[in-house]
Amino acid sequence: MRTMTSWAERPRLFVDIETYSSEDIKAGAFKYMEAPDFNILLVAYAWNDGPVRVIDMLTADPYGPDFDEEAYLEWQDVWAGLVSPDVVKVAHNSAFERGAFARELGKDMPPEEWEDTMILAAMNGLPMSLDDAGAALQLRDQKIKEGTLLINYFCKPCKPTIANGGRTRNLPKHAPDKWERFAEYCRRDVEVCQAIYQKLHRFPVPDWERKVWALDARINERGVLVDQELAEAAIAVDEAFREEHTAELRQLTNLDNPNSVAQLKEWLEGVGIFADSLNKATVADLRSSVPDPTTRRVLELRQLLGKTSTKKYEAMTTTAGKDHRVRGLLQYYGAGRTGRWAGRLVQVQNLPQNHLDDIGLVRELVRARDLETLEMLFDNVPDVLSQLIRTAFVAKPGHTFLVSDYAAIEARVIAYLAGEKWRMDVFAQGGDIYCSSASQMFKVPVVKHGENGHLRQKGKIAELACGYGGGAGALKAFGADKMGLTEDEMQQIVTQWRQASPTIPRFWRDTENAARRALENPGRTFTLPCGVKYQRDADALRCRLPSGRVLSYWDARIDDGSIVFMGQNQTTRKWEKTDPWGGKLVENIVQATSRDILAEAMLRLHKAGYKIVMHVHDEVVIEAPADTSLEDISKIMGQAPTWADGLLLRADGYVCDFYKKD
């Protein structure tokens, strides 16, 4: 029996490809590769740290007189390496290469046989794109800058013109110089990938985390079924609603384009109303204060037409494959340095909640495109359409969704890591943490819908805002000012919350102190009571979680007395200096640990044979035969990992034919 060499000893085959498809890549890689004219144009490859060669899949003829036989034999080694379990394939954003080669060779490309420099970069706190990761690492050989122009020329259909002879696709013969440069671009990408790998491949990735990555790939490949009829009907209902109410708004204002903010502001000024903006909050305030019914109606229409309800429906119809399943919804390690997942394409991580009664009947009204009845039943049809977005994800025939999520997982994790006993006692007894927090803060019994029940809301916003060091500003972000609380009252809540849970502020301080000491003493390890470890190596400050996974703060140091590191701004995407403090570091630890708990639960569910189709924050969605019991799933989810002995978890679930919030 053949014995496979260890993972570290196996040869590495670095690959990068350039492809053509008439489908827009914005529809997602799976839809892009599903196009009948999809094909691979160039394959750049290198073995280990050897030279990069390029296979021209369009112009090279293995049976032509000028073909290099030695090169042809080497190509055969590449194809053999791609399907050999003894060869580790390495690519940047390897899901694309895996999918393309699976189609080209007609064979599955198991993710367990691949490594991904995009993921290595993310795990090290670096940007995920090849360009930005290379720049952050200050690599000498960067990507060729005109790559986008070359991709647009060769990889997409072109517009037929008289000048180009009416062709719809550019081939190498149409621009040999560009094609040669394109091959060099592909070659350079592998060289950058090699350099990133050489810099980062020693970064420790636990075996279980490699399994999580492979499972993520399979979940994305499985996809989720979309109710195309509902999605298309929702778009049609929204269009009809907007046409009807835009006409009414035009009639009331006599404006050419009543949806124009500038024109509508000018109209409002004509009736004595002056507003700096027409955002949601401003329009709501104006509408409640103006006495004139016509102006009130104009503002009401502005509110109704200002809500975008169909972008996610449009994304579903655009990205769904021939079998109506959307694939590639989740980006592994996409949400910052915590390693949490990010949404892609339809952005399932920020779906609107649903609070509709008889939601199944409402879905049928939309499917029937019955705008008249919808307007009779609801004041705000766009809001109804928004609430139904979740329900456009459906289980396949004969199956249901089993949805299970963790109850207050971050509150449980921070209490466990900080050692706040009274909080863990609340969870052990099945209590309501918001009531218990309010009771601890105000020293009175607080019962939901009962004794001192009005204090529960204050306990809730304090829990949401204060766990990671937030003050009055954080309370405002959770709506404290809209509850009528003054600045003094908010500050008092912050003080009371911290006094009620003294080990958590201590956790912030201890964490910042451990990180600071690690930066001041490179190579030494500083361990928190909860087992989290900090160490500064040659590249970054490393934070080892209880799970064994490591968070990275690239180029971290003490600068003017503060901890700083280099990171990508999640809004501007710029690589810039960031300065965290203890509360933020604890937030990273808690959210990353919560993520690891979910990840291990997903591995256990997969091992038990359950088919996960997506997961959203702390919730897993499983597609299973209609008679499958939910009990076992919640039991698996509620099992604490071996590295979190004593952590009290609870998972609640429900069964549904279409996705929704129970």
Side-chain angles (χ1 to χ4, degrees), residues 310-508:
T310 60
K311 285 191 174 180
K312 289 188 186 295
Y313 290 116
E314 291 166 357
M316 291 178 188
T317 59
T318 299
T319 59
K322 293 175 183 177
D323 59 358
H324 303 311
R325 296 183 82 90
V326 176
R327 295 175 170 85
L329 286 172
L330 299 164
Q331 176 59 62
Y332 174 84
Y333 241 90
R337 62 195 41 80
T338 62
R340 295 190 299 175
W341 281 264
R344 293 292 183 264
L345 303 178
V346 185
Q347 293 292 347
V348 295
Q349 305 285 28
N350 63 355
L351 295 172
Q353 291 193 359
N354 55 267
H355 304 284
L356 295 168
D357 294 329
D358 299 320
I359 193 168
L361 295 176
V362 180
R363 286 180 89 252
E364 293 308 311
L365 287 174
V366 172
R367 285 166 63 89
R369 308 188 183 201
D370 189 350
L371 177 59
E372 183 178 356
T373 302
L374 287 166
E375 289 194 291
M376 287 175 56
L377 294 175
F378 302 101
D379 294 331
N380 192 332
V381 172
D383 181 64
V384 171
L385 297 177
S386 180
Q387 291 192 53
L388 290 180
I389 289 171
R390 288 174 183 266
T391 73
F393 290 120
V394 294
K396 66 183 180 182
H399 289 65
T400 57
F401 283 152
L402 305 177
V403 184
S404 185
D405 70 335
Y406 287 111
I409 187 168
E410 287 190 32
R412 292 168 183 266
V413 169
I414 196 170
Y416 171 78
L417 293 175
E420 191 60 74
K421 187 176 182 306
W422 73 262
R423 288 175 169 272
M424 291 188 284
D425 289 343
V426 170
F427 295 126
Q429 296 161 13
D432 183 313
I433 189 61
Y434 300 144
C435 288
S436 298
S437 183
S439 178
Q440 198 80 2
M441 288 162 59
F442 300 110
K443 308 303 180 187
V444 294
V446 178
V447 180
K448 186 177 181 179
H449 305 310
E451 186 178 6
N452 297 311
H454 65 286
L455 295 176
R456 181 181 184 273
Q457 187 63 21
K458 293 183 179 180
K460 180 175 182 177
I461 65 167
E463 285 297 303
L464 296 173
C466 298
Y468 304 126
L475 287 171
K476 285 182 182 179
F478 285 98
D481 52 340
K482 292 180 174 58
M483 291 172 55
L485 293 172
T486 66
E487 290 276 352
D488 288 343
E489 287 172 324
M490 283 187 265
Q491 188 55 55
Q492 186 178 15
I493 285 176
V494 171
T495 301
Q496 289 169 321
W497 188 92
R498 294 180 180 182
Q499 289 175 344
S501 300
T503 66
I504 294 178
R506 189 182 309 137
F507 187 22
W508 307 334

Side-chain angles (χ1 to χ4, degrees), residues 337 553-557 559 562-570 574-581 584:
R337 62 195 41 80
Y553 300 86
W554 195 262
D555 194 22
R557 58 195 183 279
D559 189 355
S562 298
I563 296 174
V564 299
F565 66 94
M566 297 301 295
Q568 190 170 47
N569 186 302
Q570 296 303 301
K574 290 183 178 179
W575 182 247
E576 60 189 27
K577 189 165 67 174
T578 303
D579 53 344
W581 71 288
K584 187 65 179 177

